[in-house]
Amino acid sequence: MSDDAIAYYSRVLDEYGLSVAACWTVIEPIGEPITIETVAERLGAEPADIRERPWTAAYDEPEGAQVVHLARAGAAVVMVEINGYQGREQSVRLSEEARVHSAYWNVNAVSALSCAAYGQLLVSFEGLSPDQRQGIDICALDEELDPLYAAVHALHDGAGDNLWAVMMAIVERRTGIRLEEDWLREDCPAIVVPRAHRHRKTIGHSAFFDPELEAALWLASGSAYQAFTHDLVELLVEVGEFAGEPEIPPIVEHLAVEVPVGDRRYQVLERLAARTAEGFENTSITKPVRTSRAWRRMHAAWALQHALVPPEHTPRPVHSLQALRLILGDQWLPVRNRLRRHLLRTP
């Protein structure tokens, strides 16, 4: 995306009071154009209740009510919410026969950038933590995220505060649709979404990025899990370039004699994880983050630690797999199939 787009959103968010708490959502239909009435129904409101409302309407409604402003953009529908979150909360439902991108933030600096399609959450994450992702395709936005990493890095260094503008620019880059100032200068069609929605139960966001692989991992036999872990560790040592690190030789020896996962002898990996995390924090982002050696090593070390010393709430290394998926990007599929073969019940 261009610096001009980021500058445009930085100005618009400030001038129109959107920088405190807002949600911008673009709904692109797959097939027939979508109507604002259809969007209102998916949000649980009555289409007959759509009427022109001022942008300040959100602050005039009872607590818990959400005001959603709607506009057509070609075949798509856009949603603008002041102090609202329906675009984030209902992105899965809104994506029925459509693709949905949403950028959200609130007064407490909680935020989310998400993408859903065909009723499935592809990826969603906190804007301040772009590596902590959920969804069934956690790398769906990879090609657009370098400016976001740079914005987060600059924010931590006290050198910038345009994170929300970058998120907006990412949505524009993905959809080709811009938040036009004309929509913000006058009253616009809007609906009020009450706290108690009338539609069927809301579809929750899935935390799985590869449901079949993760299910197979949880159901694996002891011998299959052991073979899987050996291969996963070998892959992480390779992608992290850890062969020369002092913690690795004893770890390899422990695995060779089948020291069980979770044993305290694997806790030396905490040092490696801390060392690589510090290395990334001290590295300037001057290149695409996916090609950054410091970023790759940080995630590989974290994944290695969690594969051999998994936290109690996830005794199998599902988060390690997610980190490896982030590192590998388009090279993930053959590695995924290699790991999956350990978990097959038939040869």
Side-chain angles (χ1 to χ4, degrees), residues 265-303:
R265 281 170 282 186
Y266 294 125
Q267 291 177 358
V268 296
L269 290 170
E270 294 178 4
R271 297 199 301 264
L272 178 62
R275 194 164 64 248
T276 54
E278 183 180 1
F280 176 69
E281 288 299 321
N282 294 330
T283 301
S284 298
I285 296 182
T286 57
K287 60 175 70 176
V289 71
R290 296 180 306 284
T291 65
S292 165
R293 182 173 183 267
W295 179 84
R296 185 173 64 249
R297 282 169 57 83
M298 176 184 69
H299 283 288
W302 183 92

Side-chain angles (χ1 to χ4, degrees), residues 89-90 92-93 96 119-120 199-206:
E89 190 78 2
Q90 300 204 56
V92 169
R93 187 170 307 289
E96 295 175 9
Q120 295 287 329
H199 56 58
R200 62 191 183 278
K201 184 177 179 181
T202 300
I203 302 172
H205 286 179
S206 169

Side-chain angles (χ1 to χ4, degrees), residues 12-32:
V12 167
L13 295 183
D14 287 341
E15 286 187 10
Y16 294 92
L18 299 177
S19 57
V20 176
C23 188
W24 164 243
T25 305
V26 177
I27 306 161
E28 301 172 281
I30 300 172
E32 296 298 319

Side-chain angles (χ1 to χ4, degrees), residues 53-251:
R53 288 182 168 89
W55 291 101
T56 57
Y59 299 105
D60 299 329
E61 295 295 329
E63 183 179 358
Q66 298 275 307
V67 178
V68 180
H69 287 81
L70 303 163
R72 291 293 301 272
V77 171
V78 300
M79 295 169 37
V80 185
E81 302 174 68
I82 310 297
N83 200 34
Y85 51 80
Q86 294 302 309
R88 179 208 66 178
E89 190 78 2
Q90 300 204 56
S91 62
V92 169
R93 187 170 307 289
L94 291 168
S95 72
E96 295 175 9
E97 298 300 320
R99 186 179 70 169
V100 173
H101 290 85
S102 181
Y104 158 82
W105 56 91
N106 70 14
V107 68
N108 297 315
V110 174
S111 67
L113 182 64
S114 60
C115 177
Y118 283 121
Q120 295 287 329
L121 180 69
L122 301 183
V123 62
S124 180
F125 52 85
E126 162 65 52
L128 288 165
S129 305
D131 288 333
Q132 298 176 19
R133 309 178 197 177
Q134 60 177 340
I136 63 170
D137 187 1
I138 59 173
C139 291
L141 301 180
D142 262 5
E143 297 302 317
E144 318 297 342
L145 294 184
D146 288 325
L148 186 65
Y149 279 105
V152 171
H153 225 61
L155 187 63
H156 287 165
D157 293 341
D161 60 354
N162 64 351
L163 189 63
W164 312 150
V166 172
M167 289 167 57
M168 296 281 286
I170 289 173
V171 174
E172 178 179 323
R173 172 69 179 269
R174 292 274 298 179
T175 64
I177 296 174
R178 169 167 287 193
L179 171 59
E180 299 291 349
E181 289 185 75
D182 289 346
W183 294 329
L184 304 173
R185 291 188 176 121
E186 55 189 25
D187 293 357
C188 186
I191 54 160
V192 177
V193 181
R195 182 187 294 274
H197 300 157
R198 68 171 177 80
H199 56 58
R200 62 191 183 278
K201 184 177 179 181
T202 300
I203 302 172
H205 286 179
S206 169
F208 303 112
F209 78 98
D210 190 329
E212 197 278 335
L213 176 60
E214 295 182 44
L217 178 60
W218 283 100
L219 296 170
S221 66
S223 58
Y225 179 50
Q226 181 180 359
F228 175 93
T229 302
H230 277 251
D231 204 5
L232 176 60
V233 168
E234 181 179 319
L235 284 164
L236 291 170
V237 169
E238 179 182 349
V239 299
E241 301 176 38
F242 294 144
E245 298 294 338
E247 294 86 359
I248 298 305
I251 292 299

